[in-house]
Amino acid sequence: MLVTVLSILLSIFRPPVDYDISLAGNFGEPRPHHFHGGLDIRTGGVEGKPICAIGDGYVSRVTCGLYGFGNAVYITHPTGQTSIYCHLKSFSPRIKAALRRYQYEHQTSVADAVFSPLELPVSQGQHIALSGNTGHSTAPHLHLEIRDTRTWDMLDPYEFLSDFINDTIPPRAHGFMACPQDRHSSFCGSSRNQTFGFANRKQPTRFTAWGRVGFALCADDYMQDSPNHYGIRETHLLVDGREVFSSRVDRIPDAHNRMVNSWGDYDHWQRHRVWYMRSYIEPGNTLPILTADERRGIVDFSEERDYQVEYILRDYQGNEAHYAFTVKGVPSAGAATDEQHDGQTLFRWDQTNSYSVPGMQLIVPYGLLANDVWLQPQVKSNNQLDALSDAYTFNSRSLPLLSAATLSISVQSPVEDPSKLYIASGGSFMGGDYEEGWVRGQLRELGAWYQLDYDDEPPQISPVSLDTQLVLNVTDAKSGIATWTATVDGRFIVFDAVEKTHRYACDLRETWLSPSGSRHRLLFTATDNRQNSQTYEATFTY
């Protein structure tokens, strides 16, 4: 019965394009700070390919410029899923008209339009948009996501489109990493992490180990007719035929996205740009796609014998690969000297941690670390920086948190208007609120530098075009543009942010204005993140 229901569910969706699907990326690929949440479908390196609804439902949301999606359409389906089509060049006339109505009714140019089930019903195969390259996209393609409508978990679109994707090539492992868990444990005589390549699926080298050792795997999946490599759907680690760890990348809750930095060895990725995915679970990692034995997947080499270690890799289509090697248990005493932690601060994964010096306080609540970490805090004096505060960092290299911690910095130089203060990192606006001599904000990275900055300068606005297309260039040197609004002859009019530029544009042919040759008065106001506003005024003929 379950198989029948699943078959019916999978058959209700069709591809969003009218040609054979070729993937540039698959679901769950590890990225810094997030998993790839969908399928990247190639569009032949060009924009403007027709995109259609994968199933019956209704357009529940249309956004522009949010979450890196660029122009995006959300379709809610009666079967409990919501499909999202991202990086679009443009919307179908019907959807764009509904978007414009929403913007004018709510007098907002920021496009985050929500619709009821009766406003924009769609049928499977119905045209909804043209493919593009908007948002956080480096080349034209369609990013397709499927979410559980109730929980908003990310689901693997491959499960719903597998009949339309050709894949007969099994995954391939490139190498493994041995990770001794303490200074009394060793692999090949060392207590440091080491990597080893897979020359063959049956590794001929006989390794030695003693104590508690975890493993991590560097592997990719492949498909025919594509040079790309993809994330691994299933990984199983067996020791002496017993499964000690497995991963199945099929459903990822949004709140667990940043745990990719714990499942993968983020520090190794930072240094080498190669992901080794751990085959053991750090104590603070609660990713539901990972399962392990009572030792969290860590292997205890405590007997003087041969241990048979095997990886099994599998993709959605069932293509499978096996990689095996032998590890001999050999006692090793004093594999490494004691670690030195002079000048460092220990943050524990299982508690709330805090660190403070005069003028700064950091609070990292429980749940933000996957494992214990030794921090290396540093301070640069504001006298050296000619700044409003000292500058602070907490680690010598990148160390991302699983969510946001609280950072408070005191103001060390007087300012005219404290509400214009904010926390900055590398020149970027990080927000924060002033209260009684302190600015309190949030951070998710312990390896960056933070200090106070001040912005009392309004944005700069200059005209680019004032004919059928009203185009303005809008910049802000400090905290960045937060909002904008415009009127013509005192009546609200929509200006769209032009992707990957500082420009904002209004096509008068899509507005309530009639081309009568009359003179009109434009007022455009831009406000930055510290509430500094600038209004540009001009007249034009249309």
Side-chain angles (χ1 to χ4, degrees):
M1 178 66 176
L2 180 61
V3 174
T4 303
V5 172
L6 182 60
S7 300
I8 294 173
L9 182 62
L10 297 186
S11 68
I12 62 173
F13 292 129
R14 54 146 286 174
V17 295
D18 58 3
Y19 50 85
D20 291 342
I21 290 180
S22 176
L23 297 183
N26 73 338
F27 178 77
E29 288 178 11
R31 310 278 174 87
H33 319 310
H34 72 285
F35 292 95
H36 188 238
L39 299 182
D40 282 347
I41 298 174
R42 284 195 178 90
T43 59
V46 300
E47 301 182 40
K49 292 292 184 74
I51 304 300
C52 64
I54 64 172
D56 296 341
Y58 70 95
V59 175
S60 53
R61 190 179 183 192
V62 177
T63 64
C64 299
L66 297 182
Y67 320 121
F69 283 179
N71 298 328
V73 172
Y74 296 63
I75 295 178
T76 298
H77 303 282
T79 48
Q81 300 84 30
T82 296
S83 55
I84 311 174
Y85 312 76
C86 309
H87 308 316
L88 304 171
K89 179 180 181 180
S90 60
F91 307 111
S92 70
R94 178 167 165 261
I95 293 175
K96 186 166 186 177
L99 170 64
R100 286 291 187 244
R101 285 196 301 272
Y102 182 97
Q103 289 172 305
Y104 279 103
E105 287 172 5
H106 294 80
Q107 295 202 3
T108 177
S109 288
V110 176
D112 189 1
V114 178
F115 302 102
S116 69
L118 298 180
E119 290 181 86
L120 287 171
V122 293
S123 300
Q124 183 182 75
Q126 184 173 334
H127 172 67
I128 59 170
L130 295 178
S131 67
N133 189 31
T134 58
H136 295 169
S137 171
T138 57
H141 71 283
L142 171 68
H143 175 81
L144 174 69
E145 293 196 5
I146 296 181
R147 301 281 186 138
D148 183 308
T149 303
R150 184 180 63 83
T151 65
W152 212 239
D153 289 356
M154 297 181 287
L155 307 178
D156 187 355
Y158 203 132
E159 292 189 3
F160 303 90
L161 301 174
S162 59
D163 288 345
F164 307 97
I165 302 174
N166 188 26
D167 179 13
T168 60
I169 300 177
R172 185 186 310 157
H174 309 297
F176 73 91
M177 179 186 295
C179 310
Q181 297 296 295
D182 52 63
R183 65 186 183 86
H184 301 293
S185 302
S186 67
F187 194 87
C188 291
S190 174
S191 63
R192 301 184 183 278
N193 290 0
Q194 301 171 73
T195 60
F196 304 89
F198 279 114
N200 301 291
R201 295 197 174 182
K202 176 67 175 177
Q203 175 62 262
T205 305
R206 289 172 63 86
F207 303 99
T208 62
W210 195 253
R212 300 169 61 249
V213 178
F215 293 99
L217 187 70
C218 178
D220 294 300
D221 195 14
Y222 297 87
M223 298 181 188
Q224 54 265 49
D225 305 321
S226 173
N228 291 63
H229 53 81
Y230 310 96
I232 302 296
R233 168 79 174 192
E234 289 185 38
T235 301
H236 302 267
L237 176 63
L238 285 66
V239 178
D240 296 332
R242 174 176 174 266
E243 185 171 280
V244 299
F245 170 89
S246 70
S247 61
R248 180 183 171 86
V249 187
D250 56 359
R251 173 188 285 257
I252 303 173
D254 242 5
H256 290 69
N257 225 338
R258 288 177 67 86
M259 286 187 180
V260 68
N261 296 325
S262 167
W263 181 20
D265 189 323
Y266 177 80
D267 187 60
H268 187 90
W269 183 89
Q270 275 286 106
R271 288 180 284 124
H272 303 287
R273 292 300 189 264
V274 174
W275 280 110
Y276 276 82
M277 309 307 291
R278 292 186 173 98
S279 304
Y280 60 97
I281 304 175
E282 292 191 310
N285 188 336
T286 56
L287 261 174
I289 60 175
L290 309 180
T291 57
D293 63 5
E294 67 280 1
R295 295 193 182 100
R296 294 183 288 107
I298 295 168
V299 183
D300 187 6
F301 293 98
S302 58
E303 300 176 22
E304 297 184 53
R305 63 175 179 84
D306 285 349
Y307 293 76
Q308 304 303 323
V309 181
E310 181 182 21
Y311 273 105
I312 302 174
L313 310 180
R314 192 177 297 122
D315 64 22
Y316 184 84
Q317 299 288 13
N319 302 304
E320 191 173 288
H322 294 241
Y323 292 84
F325 54 95
T326 301
V327 180
K328 184 176 181 61
V330 176
S332 176
T337 58
D338 290 344
E339 292 185 67
Q340 299 298 313
H341 297 293
D342 296 339
Q344 298 185 28
T345 299
L346 178 63
F347 271 24
R348 297 190 179 278
W349 73 270
D350 57 352
Q351 66 182 38
T352 291
N353 298 274
S354 65
Y355 175 80
S356 62
V357 295
M360 185 278 297
Q361 182 184 54
L362 171 70
I363 298 177
V364 179
Y366 166 75
L368 271 60
L369 294 170
N371 213 339
D372 295 346
V373 296
W374 285 95
L375 302 181
Q376 300 166 302
Q378 298 179 57
V379 181
K380 290 181 181 177
S381 167
N382 68 323
N383 295 325
Q384 298 173 272
L385 302 169
D386 189 26
L388 297 170
S389 73
D390 292 344
Y392 306 92
T393 189
F394 306 98
N395 205 50
S396 59
R397 56 179 181 264
S398 177
L399 181 57
L401 298 170
L402 299 179
S403 189
T406 301
L407 175 66
S408 301
I409 300 177
S410 68
V411 184
Q412 298 177 6
S413 299
V415 296
E416 183 176 340
D417 182 356
S419 70
K420 306 297 184 183
L421 289 163
Y422 62 94
I423 297 174
S425 178
S428 297
F429 175 81
M430 301 296 293
D433 298 308
Y434 175 83
E435 184 178 353
E436 298 182 354
W438 291 76
V439 177
R440 180 176 292 108
Q442 294 188 319
L443 59 80
R444 297 195 298 177
E445 167 62 65
L446 296 180
W449 284 91
Y450 301 94
Q451 65 188 93
L452 295 186
D453 208 340
Y454 183 81
D455 182 9
D456 62 357
E457 301 175 6
Q460 299 297 306
I461 306 173
S462 59
V464 177
S465 171
L466 292 175
D467 46 38
T468 305
Q469 287 265 353
L470 303 181
V471 183
L472 303 176
N473 197 67
V474 184
T475 59
D476 189 79
K478 299 297 286 288
S479 61
I481 302 298
T483 62
W484 68 94
T485 188
T487 62
V488 169
D489 301 334
R491 184 176 172 186
F492 174 79
I493 199 164
V494 170
F495 266 75
D496 294 315
V498 181
E499 286 285 338
K500 299 178 173 65
T501 74
H502 296 294
R503 295 181 175 183
Y504 297 78
C506 173
D507 188 338
L508 295 175
R509 294 166 296 186
E510 298 178 356
T511 70
W512 44 265
L513 275 173
S514 300
S516 60
S518 303
R519 297 282 287 174
H520 302 278
R521 180 168 174 260
L522 168 68
L523 291 179
F524 182 99
T525 301
T527 304
D528 66 20
N529 282 293
R530 290 295 85 169
Q531 300 304 305
N532 303 299
S533 293
Q534 180 75 276
T535 298
Y536 172 80
E537 182 176 352
T539 57
F540 64 92
T541 301
Y542 180 68

